Structures are given as C-alpha cells and as structure tokens.
Amino acid sequence: MNTMWGKFYGVGVGPGDPQLLTLQAVNVLQTVDLVAIPKSKMERESVAWDIAKIHCPSNVRLIELELPMTSDQQVLAKAWQDGAQTLLSELKQGKSIAFITLGDPSLYSTYSYLLNILQEELPQECIATVPGITAMSAAAARINLPLATGDEPLLILPSTEDVGEFLDFPNLVLMKVSRRLPEILTLLEEKDKKAVLLTRLGQPGEAIRWKPKPQDFASDKIDYLSLLLVKKDLLGRKKD
C-alpha cells in the first residue's frame, strides 16, 4: 500500500515583528493541519511561535519539538532524529505540517538538519521551503543602513569561533555574538571598525547600540538574539 504523504513546509517567520512574515508564509500557517514548534527546552516559550501565532487558526494543532542548543553532537543528532521521526509519523498519515523557524529556514536554522533526515523518506514534491526575512535584512532596514553597495563584498559569520582574520572585510554581519561580544568589540576597536549592535529586533526589549564598547558588556551578558553590523564606515551616521 502506497503512503499518502502529507506536505511538509519549512516556514521562516522573520526576526520578530509578526508583520514581517511573507504572504506565502501566512497562507501556509492558515491552511496546514499542524504547526511544529522548535524549543530549546520544553519548559521555555518559543520566540518563533510568539511571532507566528497571530497568523494561525486558534484551534490549530501544535507539535512541540525539543531541539536543544548545545555543541554536543551526539545530543543534537538524537534530538534531530527524534524530531524528524515525530514529524514523519504525522506526514505518513497525510497530515500537512508547518515547521516554523526564526528568520530564514536556509540560514543557520535547525530546519536544515531535520530536512536532511526527512528527505531520506519524504518525496521532494512533499517538501516546500518558505523563505523568511533574515535578521540582518531587518537590522539594516531598522537603522536605514545598507548592508553593502556597489561591488562591495558582504561576509556573514557566526561568531562562535575567532573572527579576527575576517575583520578587514568592508561589510560584515556577525551573528551569534552573545558568547564572545566583549572580545569581538575589542578586536573591532583595535582595527578602528565601526559597528552597530541590534538585539531582539521587532520584539519587546528591542535595543540598538551604535558603536558599542567592550567595557559596556564586561559583566552583563547580551541576549542571544543579537547581531553586529560592521562597516568600514557608517555612511555619516552617528559620527563621534
């Protein structure tokens, strides 16, 4: 007997403002049977769900998946496999599922790991990735500062490792800066690079800091949902 697969959607819900979902994302959320919500821990709230829920029917069925934030590859592999199997059990029953993710599903998202597993069984025609607005695009728009112009290169880096060798790029987006922020800001000062730190874009607690200093964060840890836009100059904005 052939399996009547349901459709699986990876839906980017943007960085924080519910108005920044695409029309396609909203249409998917309003029509699927299930919405799958990633959580770093089950007892924690989901930022992605906080953004998306206004667009979902009040009675939509939810599946919560525990996908921890850890560097332990064994823990991660088990979580991805468990999450994928939960999704497959519903898809095999013909249910359609929207897996929601912050920003864009194709950029530093857990969606990519789940997709790799699902594709071993799920036919390609039953998979649709719905792009979302990235945090860096929303950040540039929020402060009216282009990410790059003309023929300039733009480099996007996760800041979980040393980024020093890349700081001569004219335009940088440094993501995941929370763990190493004072160290990164010190390197930027040494190279006289200009930066803007943006936190929780479009959400309660949003903060924008022009030319942040390392000493400002010596004791206070910055929110995980933060990024740095680094430019060779700030195009006349916020000059000393």
Side-chain angles (χ1 to χ4, degrees), residues 145 194-196 210-211 229-238:
L145 189 71
K194 309 297 189 297
V196 188
W210 293 82
K211 300 180 182 178
L229 300 184
V230 183
K231 307 281 289 183
K232 60 182 179 182
D233 61 60
L234 297 179
L235 302 180
R237 303 287 307 279
K238 299 287 180 180

Side-chain angles (χ1 to χ4, degrees), residues 2 13 22-23 25 27 45 63 70 74 84 110 119 137 141 149 160 186 235 237-238:
N2 293 330
V13 300
T22 66
L23 292 174
N27 182 56
E45 298 297 319
I63 302 177
T70 174
Q74 287 188 331
T110 304
Q119 287 180 129
S137 295
T149 56
T160 50
T186 299
L235 302 180
R237 303 287 307 279
K238 299 287 180 180

Side-chain angles (χ1 to χ4, degrees), residues 184-239:
I184 293 169
L185 294 178
T186 299
L187 291 172
L188 291 173
E189 275 195 344
E190 291 172 355
K191 288 184 172 290
D192 194 28
K193 302 288 285 191
K194 309 297 189 297
V196 188
L197 175 67
L198 300 104
T199 300
R200 286 202 168 259
L201 278 167
Q203 303 174 39
E206 178 186 276
I208 300 170
R209 300 173 176 89
W210 293 82
K211 300 180 182 178
K213 304 295 183 185
Q215 57 267 30
D216 296 337
F217 304 94
S219 56
D220 296 333
K221 190 172 181 180
I222 196 72
D223 191 282
Y224 175 77
L225 297 175
S226 301
L227 62 80
L228 274 170
L229 300 184
V230 183
K231 307 281 289 183
K232 60 182 179 182
D233 61 60
L234 297 179
L235 302 180
R237 303 287 307 279
K238 299 287 180 180
K239 286 184 176 178

Side-chain angles (χ1 to χ4, degrees), residues 39-41 44 67-71 76 179 224:
K39 287 188 165 184
S40 57
K41 292 183 178 179
R44 290 186 178 173
L67 301 168
M69 297 174 65
T70 174
S71 58
L76 289 172
R179 292 182 184 175
Y224 175 77

Side-chain angles (χ1 to χ4, degrees), residues 101-156:
T101 184
L102 283 171
D104 181 82
S106 301
L107 187 66
Y108 300 127
S109 171
T110 304
Y111 170 72
S112 301
Y113 304 109
L114 291 174
L115 187 59
N116 282 342
I117 300 172
L118 294 176
Q119 287 180 129
E120 294 175 3
E121 294 190 50
L122 192 60
Q124 282 296 314
E125 60 268 25
C126 295
I127 301 170
T129 301
V130 181
I133 293 176
T134 63
M136 62 181 172
S137 295
R142 181 68 179 81
I143 59 176
N144 299 312
L145 189 71
L147 291 171
T149 56
D151 297 328
E152 294 175 345
L154 170 67
L155 182 62
I156 305 165

Side-chain angles (χ1 to χ4, degrees), residues 29 32-37 49 56 60-63 97-98 100:
L29 292 173
V32 291
D33 297 309
L34 306 164
V35 174
I37 304 172
W49 176 240
C56 298
V60 70
R61 187 179 154 204
L62 305 178
I63 302 177
I97 301 175
I100 57 175

Side-chain angles (χ1 to χ4, degrees), residues 13-61:
V13 300
D17 186 341
Q19 297 183 79
L20 292 184
L21 270 76
T22 66
L23 292 174
Q24 186 181 17
V26 171
N27 182 56
V28 168
L29 292 173
Q30 290 179 344
T31 55
V32 291
D33 297 309
L34 306 164
V35 174
I37 304 172
K39 287 188 165 184
S40 57
K41 292 183 178 179
M42 280 303 192
E43 64 270 22
R44 290 186 178 173
E45 298 297 319
S46 164
V47 177
W49 176 240
D50 281 344
I51 298 168
K53 61 186 177 185
I54 191 174
H55 300 294
C56 298
S58 59
N59 61 346
V60 70
R61 187 179 154 204

